[in-house]
Amino acid sequence: AALYLPGDRSSVLRHTMASSFAVAAPGLARAGTSMVPRYGARGRASAPARVAVRARAVVEAPANLERLRIMTPWEIAQEELKTTFGMSEEDIAAAGALSDEDLTNAYETMQLCRDFENECNQAYMAGKIRGFMHLDNGQESIPALLSNAIRKTDLKHSYYRDHCHAIACGVDPGAVMAELFGRDGGSCRGTGGSMHVYDVETNFQGGWALVAEQLPYAVGAARSIVLDKHLGTGEAEDRIAIVFVGEGGAQNGRMAECLNAAAKENLPILFLVIDNGRAINTFTKDVATNQEVFNQGKHYGIPGILADGQNVQDTMRIGRAAIQHVRNKGPAILQVHTFRFNGHSPADPEHERNRKDEKRWARATCDPIKIFEESDDAKKVDQKAALARARDEVAKALAFANASPPPPKDLAAKLEYPDPTGEVDYSAREPEMGLELAAAVTKATVPEATLTALAARIDALRAMAGSDAGISIGDAVNLAILEEMVRDPTCVAHAEDLQAGSSYNIPANTQQAFGTLRAADEIIDEGHFIGKALGEAMNGYRPIVELMNANFGIYGMAELSSAGNTFATTGGQFNMPMTVIGAGGTAPNQSLGAEHSQPFHAYIMGIPGLKICTASKPHEAYGLAKSMIRDNGPGVLLLPVKLMKTRGPCEVDNFLPLHKATLQHEASAASIAAGKAVTVLTYLHGTKESEDAIETLTAEGYDVDLIELTCLKPFDKETIQASLARTHKLAILDESTRSGGVGATFSALVSEELFDELDAPVRRLCMEDAPVPYATEMERVMVKRAADLVEGVKSMC
């Protein structure tokens, strides 16, 4: 039961959150309501007289309001900190001790944020800021807390309402304003805009626009802190990660997954829940059974606490205590109850019930700046001087943004990949820390006996690769991963069933060799652990994610999209060295049904910034995996699900380019002279089907240039052009659908860029636009194979 201000009515209590430590003012609760007040740790109610603010003129709340202000007095909060957080009297006293300098900085930060957002609103109306913009007016106590208690070395992940969070965390206001203006002097050189503020210098890591997507990224960032400690590379032992999420976003399933992950590894992360009670307009209570987000951690043993965001002193005291808990003990939840004075964005019509009435009332009675100015603590602050400094800072920010030039027109294209196509020798790329230190770190963190056993296992796999029988695709990729993880301690692995080697041995022995921190078994949600990998990649690690079946990556489409966007969206500040590996595709006679036969490779073709490769043989799988792990951008390596245990030769220590297709078979001169040669593009299972077709074709005088698309993206124009210059005919054996498939993309690219080389229309042999069936008779019509290629080649000649 929360403590409510005078003027509140019992009729609205059922719509308002209860606190686990505050108590209701006498007479406000009513029998029969759903929010009957609970009592504090001592089992008694506390009188409103204990509230440490001066009396204010009561502004009667309109009768139609459904959400009112709560109060969380520090006197009562201390009891909760003792009980739930197990904090000592000494630590509580330190959190509660606000110096005059603390108060001055808090007031100045609030005024800076208020004035900054007001100027943003004016600039938006003037057309200087475009797109979506979300203002923070009314929630300034949170930036005041950040400025006071969050350090430069802490890792910060915000959401789309991020301007003030960034400024409070040390990002230059001029750089933030210039980013909103789309100028080259912006924090991301104009590539991110309002919802995507990043700054590598202050470890401000977004600005993420999809609701709740930032949660696993921040968990990954917290893991990077623990990994730094484990490897002995950390700058500060008590660094933390902090992630901001709305109370609506905290209802997302990602929250439960991330609380579980934070508790499982005791990660140093604070979940700061900004509770303004609404989505764009809809009340959170209309969609959420329980709005007490600070209690969500109870199931996982994570303490939580609620703060009145209109009282900056209480927010700072409670928040500092929660942050100190995270630094010393482990994860925590801080829920700050606020009011947002503006609409969701300037485009928000605010038509939802009583929204405008609530806004007018909240501005009059719940303004954290006005409430501070009326408190006794305000006497300790030179308010006039603080306000002048804040306004001067905003004026400078505006001047900087207006003077900053626009970014170069070709900047976006230059930022597609961290490693420009074809310009990196992966075999020569050393770990960021250097080979000597990397070897020392590995030796210090992996027991000697384990390293000896690991070396023996690697030697056995290398011998297998060079044997007459060869090595399987799964074991070849496993060899690549083990070699890279032992060479570079920043390589980490994530997979389901990892400790057992997953389904195809790809991550086998990683956990046994490197432990659960560097090789993590994951819950069954690919989006969750792809998201954690993204957060690790932003903080100096090279995560390797194994999907078991590539189609399971559908759960992680949002995270894959953000991985592809991050380097460019941050203006090139954050590399994204993340490798995702999965067995997929659709083989003839696969008999897996529709869900396990989806063309995931086609689904991700449209994600900018991803390098997408495929391999149908052990040699290519090994060489591409080695290169992709060392690449500084995100890559996806797809393998043929029905051929994972097929063995073949593999040259070890090879690094294949990530931008080149592979000519697997060259048509004979005789077939070309006779006009009976065709260029065939294919990948995954199509490579074997094409090889099976070649025997039949050559017996009848036909032949093909067989090009395996070991690189689906970027487009290898040169290899295809060289073949078409010989054959002048193109067939595509494609494991994706007619509409939106890989073959559709390549057919269009060839028609646009190599049309003069064609003597006939491109022939696409692809899956039809229907779910892949289970029964063989239907599946044979849907999924193309060697016989279809034979017929197609003959029809073109």
Side-chain angles (χ1 to χ4, degrees):
L3 182 64
Y4 298 89
L5 283 179
D8 297 356
R9 288 171 301 282
S10 60
S11 61
V12 301
L13 274 176
R14 65 183 181 277
H15 304 299
T16 313
M17 181 186 312
S19 163
S20 65
F21 63 85
V23 295
L28 291 185
R30 181 180 65 181
T33 64
S34 61
M35 297 298 286
V36 177
R38 295 201 303 269
Y39 289 86
R42 296 182 179 178
R44 59 178 177 81
S46 299
R50 300 182 68 181
V51 180
V53 295
R54 291 189 294 175
R56 304 183 63 210
V58 174
V59 177
E60 180 67 21
N64 64 340
L65 289 200
E66 300 180 42
R67 186 175 186 272
L68 298 170
R69 181 186 170 195
I70 67 165
M71 299 187 76
T72 55
W74 176 239
E75 294 89 338
I76 303 175
Q78 295 177 60
E79 296 297 325
E80 184 69 13
L81 291 168
K82 293 176 188 176
T83 304
T84 303
F85 285 71
M87 293 190 74
S88 67
E89 295 278 1
E90 182 181 5
D91 286 342
I92 291 174
L98 299 179
S99 67
D100 292 357
E101 182 181 2
D102 291 335
L103 295 169
T104 297
N105 288 340
Y107 181 72
E108 186 173 332
T109 299
M110 290 197 295
Q111 289 287 14
L112 171 62
C113 291
R114 179 68 58 85
D115 201 42
F116 187 92
E117 296 291 65
N118 287 343
E119 291 296 344
C120 287
N121 197 42
Q122 292 299 313
Y124 190 92
M125 297 306 173
K128 293 183 177 182
I129 300 173
R130 306 182 65 186
F132 294 142
M133 181 182 72
H134 309 87
L135 302 179
D136 209 33
N137 298 50
Q139 303 182 150
E140 290 85 358
S141 63
I142 295 169
L145 167 65
L146 302 178
S147 179
N148 180 268
I150 294 300
R151 304 170 187 167
K152 182 178 180 179
T153 53
D154 295 331
L155 311 180
K156 307 96 178 172
H157 284 256
S158 187
Y159 58 164
Y160 46 81
R161 203 179 304 278
D162 59 352
H163 316 158
C164 295
H165 299 163
I167 292 169
C169 290
V171 184
D172 181 76
V176 178
M177 188 66 78
E179 186 61 33
L180 271 64
F181 278 34
R183 301 302 181 92
D184 200 34
S187 63
C188 303
R189 302 189 66 189
T191 61
S194 171
M195 297 183 287
H196 303 287
V197 176
Y198 298 82
D199 181 60
V200 69
E201 181 66 23
T202 58
N203 288 299
F204 194 81
Q205 302 180 356
W208 301 93
L210 300 181
V211 174
E213 68 163 317
Q214 70 276 14
L215 291 169
Y217 309 161
V219 171
R223 290 191 92 250
S224 77
I225 294 173
V226 179
L227 281 161
D228 283 353
K229 294 178 183 179
H230 171 67
L231 299 179
T233 59
E235 297 176 4
E237 287 300 302
D238 62 349
R239 288 181 302 150
I240 69 168
I242 178 171
V243 59
F244 307 88
V245 64
E247 85 291 343
Q251 304 296 331
N252 190 292
R254 286 282 182 268
M255 184 71 169
E257 294 169 352
C258 289
L259 289 171
N260 174 71
K264 189 75 172 61
E265 297 183 312
N266 195 38
L267 300 178
I269 182 170
L270 177 67
F271 298 87
L272 201 162
V273 181
I274 303 170
D275 175 14
N276 55 43
R278 293 178 182 264
I280 293 179
N281 276 301
T282 301
F283 281 107
T284 305
K285 70 181 181 60
D286 290 347
V287 297
T289 300
N290 190 333
Q291 297 174 68
E292 295 185 9
V293 182
F294 65 96
N295 277 328
Q296 282 188 11
K298 286 185 174 180
H299 177 68
Y300 308 97
I302 296 178
I305 196 163
L306 176 67
D308 168 19
Q310 313 321 122
N311 184 315
V312 67
Q313 299 99 309
D314 284 348
T315 298
M316 289 175 67
R317 290 179 176 117
I318 296 169
R320 285 169 20 146
I323 289 167
Q324 194 59 30
H325 173 89
V326 176
R327 293 198 192 282
N328 295 333
K329 294 183 178 180
I333 304 171
L334 171 63
Q335 183 170 357
V336 183
H337 188 280
T338 69
F339 290 89
R340 193 181 70 223
F341 293 171
N342 296 75
H344 177 71
S345 73
D348 178 10
E350 300 184 279
H351 288 160
E352 185 67 19
R353 63 181 189 271
N354 68 46
R355 175 68 181 101
K356 293 180 180 179
D357 289 339
E358 178 192 288
K359 184 171 71 175
R360 282 190 289 267
W361 171 81
R363 283 176 170 172
T365 65
C366 300
D367 187 333
I369 295 177
K370 293 178 181 177
I371 291 171
F372 176 81
E373 290 172 343
E374 295 173 359
S375 71
D376 291 334
D377 284 334
K379 298 174 183 177
K380 304 172 185 178
V381 175
D382 186 342
Q383 298 176 43
K384 185 176 180 180
L387 178 59
R389 289 192 297 271
R391 289 180 173 172
D392 181 61
E393 192 71 31
V394 174
K396 290 178 181 177
L398 280 168
F400 177 81
N402 281 313
S404 182
K409 294 180 180 179
D410 61 350
L411 178 61
K414 289 181 178 179
L415 293 175
E416 182 178 11
Y417 301 115
D419 286 336
T421 300
E423 295 184 14
V424 178
D425 178 1
Y426 297 110
S427 67
R429 173 165 278 173
E430 295 188 2
E432 290 293 325
M433 66 180 69
L435 283 171
E436 185 177 351
L437 180 56
V441 170
T442 297
K443 185 176 180 180
T445 54
V446 181
E448 183 177 356
T450 302
L451 279 177
T452 300
L454 177 60
R457 176 58 183 165
I458 289 174
D459 287 345
L461 289 170
R462 290 171 70 91
M464 190 185 301
S467 68
D468 292 339
I471 190 172
S472 71
I473 293 174
D475 283 337
V477 177
N478 177 235
L479 172 59
I481 290 172
L482 292 175
E483 288 178 338
E484 292 304 302
M485 289 187 73
V486 77
R487 175 182 180 271
D488 184 352
T490 66
C491 290
V492 296
H494 296 268
E496 296 163 5
D497 211 21
L498 178 141
Q499 60 187 285
S502 191
S503 292
Y504 305 107
N505 278 355
I506 289 174
N509 297 302
T510 54
Q511 191 172 96
Q512 289 83 347
F514 304 106
T516 58
L517 190 58
R518 284 189 61 197
D521 246 321
E522 294 292 353
I523 62 168
I524 306 176
D525 185 346
E526 285 67 17
H528 170 72
F529 56 89
I530 292 174
K532 289 197 297 188
L534 187 155
E536 292 166 350
M538 291 184 76
N539 289 284
Y541 287 85
R542 293 185 176 274
I544 304 159
V545 176
E546 196 266 343
L547 295 178
M548 188 179 289
N549 185 293
N551 286 313
F552 300 162
I554 292 170
Y555 277 110
M557 289 294 284
E559 290 77 13
L560 281 172
S561 175
S562 288
N565 291 335
T566 297
F567 179 70
T569 302
T570 65
Q573 295 181 82
F574 288 92
N575 287 337
M576 186 52 61
M578 179 171 75
T579 299
V580 178
I581 301 173
T586 307
N589 302 313
Q590 186 164 284
S591 300
L592 294 179
E595 287 192 273
H596 278 56
S597 303
Q598 298 182 73
F600 177 70
H601 42 282
Y603 299 168
I604 61 175
M605 282 283 285
I607 297 178
L610 288 185
K611 292 180 181 177
I612 306 173
C613 296
T614 73
S616 67
K617 303 172 186 292
H619 176 77
E620 285 79 6
Y622 172 90
L624 290 170
K626 295 275 283 189
S627 296
M628 192 171 283
I629 292 168
R630 295 191 188 185
D631 191 86
N632 282 330
V636 179
L637 175 58
L638 298 161
L639 308 169
V641 67
K642 293 295 283 187
L643 301 176
M644 290 301 293
K645 297 183 179 180
T646 302
R647 299 178 71 164
C650 174
E651 179 186 337
V652 297
D653 300 322
N654 86 81
F655 292 81
L656 295 181
L658 302 178
H659 66 293
K660 300 298 292 182
T662 302
L663 181 63
Q664 297 286 13
H665 174 83
E666 190 171 44
S668 67
S671 66
I672 289 174
K676 290 187 174 183
V678 175
T679 297
V680 173
L681 303 183
T682 192
Y683 57 97
L684 296 177
H685 305 93
T687 304
K688 181 181 183 303
E689 294 297 314
S690 298
E691 290 171 339
D692 290 345
I694 288 172
E695 185 176 351
T696 301
L697 288 167
T698 55
E700 300 181 30
Y702 299 91
D703 210 344
V704 303
D705 270 3
L706 174 57
I707 298 176
E708 180 179 358
L709 296 173
T710 44
C711 173
L712 294 183
K713 201 176 79 167
F715 175 53
D716 180 7
K717 176 180 176 180
E718 291 75 17
T719 299
I720 297 171
Q721 184 173 21
S723 176
L724 287 177
R726 301 172 68 242
T727 68
H728 303 293
K729 293 181 280 291
L730 177 64
I732 304 174
L733 182 57
D734 184 16
E735 290 182 46
S736 57
T737 50
R738 186 171 299 279
S739 299
V742 170
T745 297
F746 276 82
S747 177
L749 287 168
V750 169
S751 297
E752 291 170 5
E753 300 188 29
L754 300 172
F755 182 76
D756 289 344
E757 299 289 358
L758 295 174
D759 287 347
V762 175
R763 181 69 182 269
R764 285 198 288 145
L765 305 167
C766 56
M767 292 161 50
E768 299 303 324
D769 289 345
V772 177
Y774 169 73
T776 300
E777 293 77 9
M778 292 185 288
E779 185 264 355
R780 185 176 291 115
V781 177
M782 283 287 300
V783 180
K784 302 303 185 286
R785 58 204 71 204
D788 299 295
L789 181 60
V790 169
E791 181 181 336
V793 168
K794 289 181 178 180
S795 71
M796 298 182 75
C797 299

